[in-house]
Every structure is written in C-alpha cells, then in structure tokens.
Amino acid sequence: MTDQTVASLYRVSFRGEEIQVTPKEQEILRTLARRVRELSELPEQEEKRRLWYCHNALERTRPVIFCDPENGWNEIIPPQRLQCEGRLARHWEMWLRKEIFWGESMGDDKVIEPYFDVPYVYEETGWGLEESIVKVEAWGSYRWDPPLKDYRDMEKLRFPEIHIDEEASEKLLNLAQEVFGDILIVRRKTIWWWTLGMTWTLVNLRGLEQVMLDMYDHPRELHELMAFLRDGHLRKLDFLEQHNLLSLNNDGTYVGSGGFGYTTELPQRDFDGVHVRTIDMWGFAESQETCYVSPEMFEEFIFPYQYAILERFGLNCYGCCEPLHPRWHVVKRFPRLRRVSVSPWADLGKMAEYLGREYIYSMKPSPSDLAVSRIDEEYIRKKLREALEITKDCCVEVIMKDNHTIGGNPENVIAWCRIAKEEAERVAPSW
C-alpha cells in the first residue's frame, strides 16, 4: 500500500463512526507492535539506515534494493488472515504485518523503524468540477468522463481546501498512544500528497486525448488551466506551511516514486526545529500522462508549471513510469534534483550516461516479471545483471513496485530480493 493509499483512509470524516479498537483487537495489535519493535532494534537496521544515508548523499555504495509489492500485499497478507474486525484496527494490523514481513522475510534494504505514524483526519475539497468514474469491478479497469469539456467552464473551477477534523484527529492520536505508546514511538505525521506533478489532475479534468489536442488547438487556454492548477497547488503548500501541518521526510519516509528520504542535507540550517517548511523537505513531481508528448511540448506546457512548485523544496525527485531519456535535457533543469526515476520503458544506457554519479539512478525493473505463479529466476538474474553492468558507474537503487499481482505467490518477492541483493553485491564487491 503506497503512502498515498494510506493517507486516503484518513481523508474522510469519522463523524458518526467511533474511533476505537476492542480489547481483543488491542491485544492483537500490541503483540504485532512488540515484534516490530524487536525487529527495529536489530543491528542490521542501523546498517541499512547508514546505507541509505550514504546512497542519498551520492556516495559510492552497492546498489540499494527495495521492494514494495503494492497490490501484491493482498496476496502476501490476504484479508482473511487479518484477525481484527474494525476498519481502523484492520488498517493498523495490516501496516504492522507488512513491517514484520519486510523485517523477517522480504530481504531488501528497507529499514524497520520503531515509529507508528498517525495522520490528521481531514477532508480535501475538489477543484469544483468532478469527473465521473465508471467501473465494472472494484480492482478492474475503468473509464472516466472528464467534466471540463469547454474551456468556458473554467470559471467553475475552485482551489481545493483542506478541512481538518480536530476532534477526530486528537481522538485518533490519543487512541494510538493508548494502544502503542509504551511499545512504539507514536508520531503525528501526515502524507499530504504523493505527487505534485499536476498532469493527473489535468487529464481527469480535461481528458487525455483532449489535452494533447489542446496543445495545438487551444494552447492559450491550456496554459491558463496549467497556471490555475499550479496556483492551487502552491496555495495548498502555503496553507500547510502556515498552519504547521508539514512533517520532515528526511528519514524513513518513502519519497518520490521509490526510495527513502534519509539525508543530513535536510532540513535547512535555519530550521527552528518546530515549523517545517517545504524547503526543509523532499519534493516530487512526475508526468506519466504526457509520456507520448514531444519534449518540446513538455517543455512548453508542463515544465514551467512544475518548476514553480519544485523550486520550493530542498531536494527533489522526478519521474515515475514515464521514460525520461527523450526529455532529460529539460528535466535536468529542475532545481536541486537528486532522485530520478528510470522506468522499464527508459533507455538504461542513455540514462546511465545522463545521470552518472550526479543523481540517484532509481531503476524500476518490470513488475510483470513477478506476475506469475513461479518466477523465472534465471531470466530475472540475467536482466538484473545486464542492467547493473550498464549502470555500474552510477548511484543506483533498484525499486520493485507497481505490482498488480505477484502471481499469488509471496515467495516471488522474496526470491526477487535475494537475486537483486546477490547481483548488487556482485557488481560492487568492494563495498
């Protein structure tokens, strides 16, 4: 489950629903929390933490390995395995069981930390116009009907607003303290966004094909819409800063589209220790929806609006599933860029040449390799070995994610991590 999905659980009002766990659920959760605490205290966690700090500082390390199976978690820890019954308790149980699997079985470089983070309970209004989503089944494909069919309707757009339920938020934090406070360090920490790239919002409002046509037929109006989205995102960042709602992500927080935020370069030297600003944080943007747009069109219609947002952050990540090699000459101009996604559709050699050791090369192997009942270990090893040879002079992390399925076999992710670790150590034997 991504941070974005986790945050969405709390992006609802708990009015009318009791925030509680039963005594039986408390005992289940506390037992799991004790195991997380035990895992967090193993010496290997400090070794992994130090690895991420060096890696994010662009120091020479072996390639770092991380696997988040995303929807595959439902096959590793199926719903029927959960012992709690309440929605909140089941969410907490799932998080704890995932940490335990990472610490006991996964075999990657994720650090198990002794923290239990509790976000605010809040609602966030939309942009004034909402797309209609049509689904056949819960986890299947869908289509949407974009609402901004005529640019004259832009007058109906509004900046989103965040409304925090203070009472529910306090009750949730107190409950977490009651359940976990003597075992884990309970912190208030909210993930307010996954991406600040804006193009997902853009295509939801206007439609993917229509946006591409607008670059030719309605360039002025498209610029106006992008400026509106930019200003709405900047307004949100201002609100979060002014109300002291941001949290540092220079620790084991997942940042960008892969990797963790461990760094001594954040926060800034003038940080007062209390009021977190965007300049004290990692930022992230991507534009997967425009992967078939020319570099020139990306530079004109997307880049300047994303630049205005990313320039507020202390360090930045860019990219997700879109291949960046055709537009790297534009992307590299983002300020304080550190982590760059190299998707399965990117040219590995060109990206190795472009990134060198000046950026983190965030390699994303194809998740389809794990979407079978039993993985082809020889094939996976061959692909990883070839990729790591190409990138041996880069600052590499290998991130397995975007899995819709792992073939119903949890051993697939364990075997992948083992192979990836072995190949990482082979390519850097002196590390």
Side-chain angles (χ1 to χ4, degrees):
M1 185 181 296
T2 63
D3 286 338
Q4 184 183 28
T5 306
V6 170
S8 70
L9 175 72
Y10 301 97
R11 198 177 300 141
V12 295
S13 173
F14 278 79
R15 298 183 187 93
E17 177 183 340
E18 290 188 330
I19 297 175
Q20 64 174 4
V21 296
T22 66
K24 180 181 178 181
E25 289 171 335
Q26 283 198 33
E27 188 52 43
I28 293 169
L29 295 172
R30 287 175 59 81
T31 298
L32 294 171
R34 291 188 192 100
R35 182 54 182 153
V36 171
R37 183 69 190 220
E38 290 171 357
L39 291 168
S40 75
E41 293 173 346
L42 294 176
E44 67 188 57
Q45 307 304 340
E46 182 54 37
E47 296 172 8
K48 292 179 180 180
R49 193 177 293 112
R50 186 168 59 250
L51 173 64
W52 281 103
Y53 273 113
C54 293
H55 171 69
N56 286 337
L58 303 177
E59 297 178 16
R60 188 169 292 279
T61 73
R62 68 158 170 82
V64 186
I65 310 301
F66 172 57
C67 176
D68 183 352
E70 298 194 359
N71 195 54
W73 280 113
N74 295 315
E75 298 167 14
I76 298 171
I77 309 168
Q80 61 269 25
R81 183 181 163 192
L82 299 181
Q83 298 176 13
C84 295
E85 297 182 1
R87 184 168 68 98
L88 179 62
R90 286 173 69 84
H91 169 69
W92 284 357
E93 181 185 355
M94 184 67 172
W95 183 86
L96 292 165
R97 290 190 182 277
K98 285 166 62 176
E99 292 295 300
I100 292 170
F101 185 89
W102 257 311
E104 291 182 344
S105 304
M106 187 76 82
D108 64 359
D109 292 314
K110 183 186 185 300
V111 182
I112 306 303
E113 297 281 13
Y115 300 113
F116 189 84
D117 292 339
V118 182
Y120 284 100
V121 179
Y122 70 98
E123 292 180 310
E124 186 170 357
T125 64
W127 292 87
L129 293 172
E130 296 292 334
E131 68 275 11
S132 298
I133 302 294
V134 180
K135 289 187 176 183
V136 176
E137 54 187 67
W139 296 103
S141 60
Y142 66 91
R143 64 178 175 84
W144 79 99
D145 184 23
L148 188 61
K149 292 180 168 49
D150 192 307
Y151 274 111
R152 287 175 292 186
D153 287 336
M154 274 192 61
E155 63 182 20
K156 299 178 182 178
L157 293 176
R158 300 289 183 271
F159 290 152
E161 295 182 351
I162 292 172
H163 301 287
I164 295 174
D165 188 328
E166 298 286 357
E167 180 180 355
S169 296
E170 193 64 21
K171 188 172 183 180
L172 187 68
L173 182 62
N174 290 339
L175 178 60
Q177 287 282 10
E178 177 186 336
V179 176
F180 302 115
D182 61 335
I183 305 172
L184 299 172
I185 302 169
V186 177
R187 305 184 299 183
R188 170 82 78 196
K189 189 164 187 170
T190 307
I191 306 299
W192 295 103
W193 63 81
W194 172 65
T195 177
L196 296 166
M198 297 179 288
T199 50
W200 177 246
T201 303
L202 173 68
V203 300
N204 278 344
L205 288 172
R206 185 70 174 144
L208 180 58
E209 292 181 7
Q210 189 59 57
V211 166
M212 295 183 182
L213 292 172
D214 287 348
M215 293 180 180
Y216 289 93
D217 297 336
H218 300 284
R220 178 181 60 81
E221 293 89 344
L222 181 56
H223 276 296
E224 290 176 358
L225 179 54
M226 286 301 297
F228 187 86
L229 296 178
R230 173 204 62 202
D231 292 346
H233 280 74
L234 291 174
R235 185 173 183 266
K236 175 178 178 176
L237 296 178
D238 287 340
F239 174 85
L240 294 172
E241 273 195 6
Q242 292 165 6
H243 290 82
N244 200 26
L245 296 170
L246 296 173
S247 299
L248 294 176
N249 57 1
N250 63 341
D251 52 9
T253 306
Y254 184 89
V255 296
S257 62
F260 295 93
Y262 297 103
T263 180
T264 59
E265 297 175 56
L266 299 173
Q268 302 298 326
R269 292 182 178 180
D270 64 347
F271 175 57
D272 65 7
V274 178
H275 300 94
V276 178
R277 306 156 299 179
T278 52
I279 196 65
D280 298 313
M281 302 175 65
W282 289 88
F284 172 58
E286 42 68 54
S287 189
Q288 300 171 85
E289 298 75 26
T290 66
C291 65
Y292 292 112
V293 167
S294 71
E296 293 77 18
M297 291 294 189
F298 171 80
E299 183 175 18
E300 177 181 352
F301 291 101
I302 309 301
F303 173 76
Y305 302 100
Q306 292 184 336
Y307 188 99
I309 294 173
L310 293 185
E311 69 176 346
R312 293 187 54 154
F313 289 86
L315 289 172
N316 281 306
C317 314
Y318 195 86
C320 191
C321 288
E322 73 273 37
L324 292 180
H325 62 272
R327 58 178 64 164
W328 172 246
H329 62 287
V330 182
V331 169
K332 70 179 182 180
R333 288 156 40 199
F334 282 118
R336 296 176 291 281
L337 183 60
R338 179 63 57 86
R339 175 174 269 109
V340 179
S341 178
V342 183
S343 79
W345 298 275
D347 185 311
L348 300 188
K350 287 184 178 179
M351 291 304 295
E353 178 185 347
Y354 296 154
L355 300 184
R357 296 203 58 81
E358 298 179 42
Y359 308 90
I360 294 170
Y361 189 114
S362 190
M363 183 192 301
K364 312 290 175 51
S366 174
S368 62
D369 293 343
L370 274 61
V372 290
S373 59
R374 184 175 180 180
I375 62 172
D376 186 336
E377 294 195 15
E378 183 178 346
Y379 173 75
I380 288 175
R381 185 181 299 277
K382 180 176 180 293
K383 284 179 63 177
L384 283 172
R385 180 168 296 187
E386 290 173 350
L388 291 173
E389 280 295 328
I390 291 170
T391 60
K392 63 183 178 182
D393 294 323
C394 299
C395 185
V396 179
E397 60 189 26
V398 187
I399 311 294
M400 175 55 70
K401 61 187 291 289
D402 298 315
N403 304 86
H404 291 286
T405 177
I406 55 170
N409 184 4
E411 292 299 320
N412 282 352
V413 296
I414 297 172
W416 183 89
C417 289
R418 171 179 53 78
I419 295 167
K421 268 279 195 71
E422 289 171 354
E423 292 305 308
E425 290 167 354
R426 185 196 63 82
V427 82
S430 62
W431 180 81

